[in-house]
Amino acid sequence: MAAHLKKRVYEEFSKVVQIPHEEAPTKKLRLSKPSKSAALHIDLCNATNSTDALQYLLQFARKPVEAESVEGVIRILLEHYYKETDNSVRLKIASLLGLLSKTNGFSPDCIVDDVINTLGNEKSHQVLAQLLDTMLVIGTQLPESPAVRRRLVEMACKLLSDTYFGVRNKCLQLLGCVGMVDTPLAKDIEGPSSSLGGVREVQNIISNYFADQDPRVRTAALKAMLQLHERGMKIHQIIYEQACRLLSDDYEQVRSAAVQMVWVLSQLYPESIVPIPSSNEEIRLVDDAFGKISHMVSDGSWMVRVQAAKTLGSMLQVSSHFLEQTLDKKLMSDLRRKRTAHERAKELFASGEFSSGRKWADDAPKEKLDTNTVNLIASGACGAFVHGLEDEMFEVRIAAVEALCQLARSSPSFAEKCLDFLVDMFNDEIEEVRLQSIHVLREISTHITLREDQLDTVLAVLEDSSRDIREALHELLCYTNVSTKECIQLALLELLKNLNKYPTDRNSVWKCLTFLGSRHPTLVLPLVPELLSTHPYFDTPEPDMDDPAYIAVLVLVFNAAKSCPTMPALFSDHTFRHYAYLRDSLSHLVPPLRLPGRKQVYSLDSVDSGCGSGSVESAKLFLQQSLNRISTIQNLETPGAQDLLNFTIRDLQRLGELQTELAGAADFCATYLRCQLLLMKALQEKLWNMAVPLCLKQNVTATAAAQQILEETYKLEFLYSSLESRQVATIHHVRLQAKALQLILTARSGPGLDLLISSCERFLQEIESFQRMFLTELPHLQDSFVDKLLELLPRLLSCKPVELVKILQTTLRQSGLLQLRLPEQINRATATIIEPTGESDNPLRFTSGLVVALDIDATLEHVQDPQDKVKVQVLYPDGQSHVIHPKPADFRKPGPNRHRLITQVYLSHTAWTEPSQVEVRLLLAYSSSSSSPSSANKSGWSDSIDSLPPAEAAVEGTIPFSKPVKVYIMPKPARR
Amino acid sequence: MPEIKVTPLGAGQDVGRSCILVSIGGKNIMLDCGMHMGYNDDRRFPDFSYITQNGRLTDFLDCVIISHFHLDHCGALPYMSEMVGYDGPIYMTHPTKAICPILLEDFRKITVDKKGETNFFTSQMIKDCMKKVIPLNLHQTVQVDDELEIKAYYAGHVLGAAMVHIKVGSESVVYTGDYNMTPDRHLGAAWIDKCRPDILISESTYATTIRDSKRCRERDFLKKVHESIERGGKVLIPVFALGRAQELCILLETFWERMNLKAPIYFSTGLTEKANHYYKLFITWTNQKIRKTFVQRNMFEFKHIKAFDRSYADNPGPMVVFATPGMLHAGQSLQIFKKWAGNEKNMVIMPGYCVQGTIGHKILNGQRKLEMEGRATLDVKLQVEYMSFSAHADAKGIMQLIRMAEPRNMLLVHGEAVKMEFLKGKIEQEFSIDCYMPANGETVTMTTNPSVPVDMSLNLLKREMALGGPLPDPKKPRAMHGTLIMKENSLKLVSSEQALKELGLNEHQLRFTCRVQFQDPHSDSDTLHRIYTHLKSVLKDYTIQHLPDGTVMVESIVIKVSSSAEDANAKVLLLSWSYQDEDLGSYLSSLLKKGLPT
């Protein structure tokens, strides 16, 4: 067999080396494309010494090899392998074998035998290790071949006794990767009873090497075991004890891997019972493991510490008293040996023997206590987190903070306890850690109520100079529960201070107060007179309405008043006026209030606040009804259809304003209907039948309409999130209609025949691609424009352009309105530029030819991957426009579906005589190739995507999706 | 048995005047050479006459190692090297070498210029002494001579503080100096690898303390300072010029910056500026944060902290002053303290340990009336606060270090006897190792069990390897045959044949023979055959031959049967084996004595 194969290989490049000639004619085609294997063979044959050969191999490795010639190449390599005496060349060949086996479309099962054969004769340890590595590749390439895997396992077991660590390493790796998870292999050796034995065997063999003399091998053994676990094999509990012993290994890699191993076992057997050495008691395994891993948090190597701290976070089954010990450094006694809770409490009391270091000599008189009860190195989980949070390396501290977060989320009592520690972390020296701990506190804040002193520490951070920290803290305060009215006052005071110091935080502070007010109405109530500085007898001066601090106070009060009906009674007259003003100007911060005696003014507000939760339902119903009404329009030419559409669009727009939950959906529908309306209007022109030169004007409006429809469809497709393929199909359908309209208009304007033919062809291609993309949706498009077109497609393909245009025209006019089905939730991507505000009258002066940096701060909602899509456009008065890509680091993600862009754009221009305004806006870039109607669809036609014409494959463009902001600038001429 | 001897000349059950003598493997090493803060007489320096009554120390010491630059660890160095006389190598880390002379010079000035002492070391002596210093790098193994090697580990505590691992052959000692297991605002935590020394000599200043999380302490400190400043009070923080002072400076500096406070912060004495310069330079010795950010801004370039002038103490309004020395026993801190003590708005914060007898110690213990020189008394009205900012390891930290290093014995110095006693008990209980706490001048002797390396001939090794399993198991001792040749200071293990050849001796064969009698009615040859089958069944793994000349050979052991002359039933077995087969031979004889199975 081998001889035959060899022969075949030689044949493949026979012409090149010009040895045999009998099969030359059949091989001609291949020869025209010089084979790689052939070249390699010549090189290797020509190589006079091993250095040359090595050079050839190195060169060879740089080039890719086609799947069909891999086998041939491997044969040649193997042949040279047998001949070669130099270790380094053999090593390279072995590594090449591994590389080649990875080639796509090549199945390495044919070379398994050969590689195993080479193993048998190999003397060099390094080469042996490399060959095993190759086997590893082969083994992973052939997951479905139990026979091969069994052979590999046997091989590995045999070589495990090698004296070189690398070989043992690779053997263990191999065992880990191909060791038997499923049992059938063992069955056919010794029968069904041994199936479990077979599994056990692998674990046994691996665990024998836990005590190997080489730390690298020990690590490899642990890793192999973990690999087995990952592949779904159940690790036996016996391993636990061995892994625990390795926790005190001399080498950090071993300890690190052992931590993982112990963790894995604690997740597998959380409830089994293990004995405590040196006593006759027993505890749950997960508790024991938790204690041991906690111990590793004070390990000598920081890598291990990070590993341990991270791991602790995922051990959620641990008993609560163990968990709480991790925060207790002073509790030195080993709680595990205590029998009753009573004794434990006593012990706790007695352990106050140590000085805390906060007071001088506070430990002096207590020295006489029985010192035997106290262990200094706690064998349990004592103080693990205290250590972790104080660690030298910030990586460890972050890991500890994250672990705290995970544990606290699952245990409210622990959350309560770890609060102090987290609050302490706000003073960490590294900003990242501070930020992380603020985020963590926010996440667990549902469980906790901040005390005054804790709040004090938290609020102190508000003066931090870092914007991220402050905003994270505002976010935190939004979710915080506080206990007393003093806390509210304190928070308000500090927030106002913050506002004063950093005026740019305005929006964030207001938002924070919105939540603070609505969360604690009863705590705000007693503060109201003081906050609004009202007096029972005297009228106080009316505060300045534009003062951000005053607005902040009002926001707090109004939000509290929403669920506290008695509060408005305390307001003075101007407060009501201010309410009206703010409700209009800052409607997202000020909730609708039911104010007694003022119904006539606020009737609208009180109505929709009165509807409450039912309003969403009714609004949805209304939306649906409007859409149903539209569906009665059969044909675009139905009389009265235009009016109906007009009204519906108006209704929907108003609905979107009133019901923020449905704004996306309503907006989507309105835009869609507007497209239809435009289409309808363009088609209904009475002058369609007129001769072309007479209706030039008509033509112009229709062209504009078509263009606008196209733009709108792109908006529909890319501005709204969570669209289903059904909606996308509908949108594309409209687009197709618009394109048809364009085609008709082009035809009417009488271009040259060539142009007409090419645009017809393009249109036909578009129909085809539509059909490909929305094959699954076609049944839903009954009676539509496309449906009809597809029916006529064979005819269209064969007919002349003029005829085609005619057909199109009639089809278009007769086609019905496609009904829009709404998905569950549609969100419109929006962007608001917070800064620059566009209010400034002072122009930004700079020397022309140089640049000026403009700070931009914007919030983006419902934008996916803003890093790639969002761009900033600057429009100069002379019509020049620049598009700037912000850096990915400029985007922050303060909440779900929300992004924040804080960036700088550079403006520059030649000198102007007067200051003038530039427009800044955000653009959403899209590219139709990246749009995926649905993942299932995509996989279906992805094969043919290469064949799509490029023009159609990617329509790229941008949609402006924020209100433009005007910035006053003044480039001055440079002084000479 | 070889021994390691440790004798503290200072710091034995005491704090201050650290000086520990170690004799290990025939080498004498002095660890630290400090002065005592509490004394002004001869007790100030260690008693070097313990080493030799007269003459220079050079002949008796192989090297001197200084762990860090605090005066209680290096204050007596010029005295020892220049006045008593020592010319051998002195080892210290680079930052210590840089900062140490500044402190020594300052110390000299105070003692000589202020107190007018004579017979004290001069500036020149300090310079001469520093010339003998060899700088160490972290984790660098330095060969002092052919046998003695030392290696420094990071110790936290102050800039440049180091722990040293001293090794002679397979015996080793680790001296920690002062160390800190929790990182602070400017330094990292102490770290050592699992070096398993014979003795770990550790400081034990805070043997009974387990400190709270340092963040609470920092917050408390800042809060107290802040409150006092807001009240319009003055805050005095007595510090040693270097060490804690820098940490507190960084702490206050960042706090001032964050809270935008305006009250001035002063730092007394000019030597700080010089020393601060070194702090800026030795960035690699600081903690992660400072190391990572120094490119943007070196944390030791303070914006808010200015130099102090004596006249500022009377300025109105709030201020914070760092003043030396840290225990209020002399100098500027004491002067300022006297000025401010009368006002209850003011505050003094003691950030560290105070030796008994100092004013710091007195006011911390609640004394409100102090006797000053010349019978004057001083009413202490200002608030006295204590914040443990001392960068010494607490009890838990010490235990952690023991766990890291895994020593065989433990020795405590640099602490108070009562507290040591407690910690000693704990260590013995937890780690079950011996723990010592010698007083000054008391010698502790520990026998060690060093391994003696022996060269083994390759042939012998290979032969043994072939006998045993596939892999040598380093965890298990293994018995083997061989001959140990001791020749000219070298040890060699060779096979016996080779030894005979090398020594030119003839081999003597040693054979044991043994008679076993038992009753057996069969004929001789039958008996022999029965013995053969019996042995065959018992000794399965051995080659047993029945030779035609009427003998049975088990390996090389010969068994013959003869019947006695008088009784044909009484058979006599003759066993003969060579010395090498002693094990098998004696086994066979005892087996055959039991008789044959019927």
Side-chain angles (χ1 to χ4, degrees), chain A residues 209-224:
Chain A
Y209 285 81
F210 282 0
D212 194 272
Q213 57 172 339
D214 195 298
R216 288 164 289 200
V217 179
R218 293 200 291 271
T219 317
L222 280 167
K223 291 245 166 85

Side-chain angles (χ1 to χ4, degrees), chain A residues 162-163 213 248-250 295 298 300 329-330 332 353-360 363 367 371-372 374-377 382 386-387 389-395 397 424-425 427-430 457 463 501, chain B residues 182-183 185 188-189 191 194 196 208-216 219-220 258-260 287-289 292 354 361 364-365 386-388 394-396 399-400 403-404 422-423 426 429-431 471 474:
Chain A
D162 196 275
T163 49
Q213 57 172 339
S248 53
D249 197 273
D250 282 10
H295 222 91
S298 49
K329 198 180 168 190
K330 271 169 284 178
M332 287 295 114
E353 136 182 37
F354 291 101
S355 153
S356 64
R358 273 205 236 186
K359 239 178 112 195
W360 172 254
D363 52 337
E367 277 302 307
T371 52
N372 291 329
V374 186
N375 296 342
L376 271 184
I377 50 157
C382 276
V386 182
H387 280 290
L389 293 177
E390 277 186 8
D391 199 275
E392 183 183 358
M393 312 299 287
F394 85 94
E395 291 90 344
R397 297 201 294 270
D424 276 348
M425 292 309 283
N427 283 326
D428 195 274
E429 51 198 5
I430 302 234
T457 331
E463 302 201 19
K501 207 166 172 181
Chain B
T182 43
R185 289 272 165 167
W191 180 85
K194 212 168 259 190
R196 300 195 174 89
T208 54
T209 304
I210 291 183
R211 270 172 300 181
D212 240 342
S213 113
K214 64 160 184 172
R215 288 171 203 287
C216 304
R219 212 178 56 211
D220 268 16
R258 257 174 64 187
M259 307 300 278
N260 202 12
N287 71 4
Q288 192 190 20
K289 156 89 175 170
K292 287 206 167 149
C354 285
H361 192 259
L364 279 176
N365 281 321
Y386 171 70
M387 304 291 318
S388 172
D394 63 0
K396 198 157 182 188
M399 297 305 241
Q400 205 182 330
R403 201 153 68 90
M404 267 189 189
F422 166 78
L423 188 64
K426 287 284 150 221
Q429 178 195 335
E430 284 296 327
F431 297 100
L471 281 178

Side-chain angles (χ1 to χ4, degrees), chain A residues 207-273:
Chain A
S207 67
N208 281 342
Y209 285 81
F210 282 0
D212 194 272
Q213 57 172 339
D214 195 298
R216 288 164 289 200
V217 179
R218 293 200 291 271
T219 317
L222 280 167
K223 291 245 166 85
M225 197 63 99
L226 287 169
Q227 178 82 33
L228 284 183
H229 167 73
E230 251 163 53
R231 289 174 50 229
M233 192 185 280
K234 188 148 169 129
I235 308 293
H236 298 285
Q237 209 194 321
I238 327 158
I239 308 291
Y240 179 71
E241 206 189 321
Q242 296 169 318
C244 286
R245 232 177 293 136
L246 286 179
L247 283 177
S248 53
D249 197 273
D250 282 10
Y251 291 83
E252 61 178 2
Q253 312 96 301
V254 185
R255 291 199 299 266
S256 180
V259 167
Q260 280 176 321
M261 193 71 239
V262 168
W263 176 77
V264 162
L265 285 160
S266 78
Q267 301 301 303
L268 283 177
Y269 306 97
E271 297 303 330
S272 46
I273 298 295

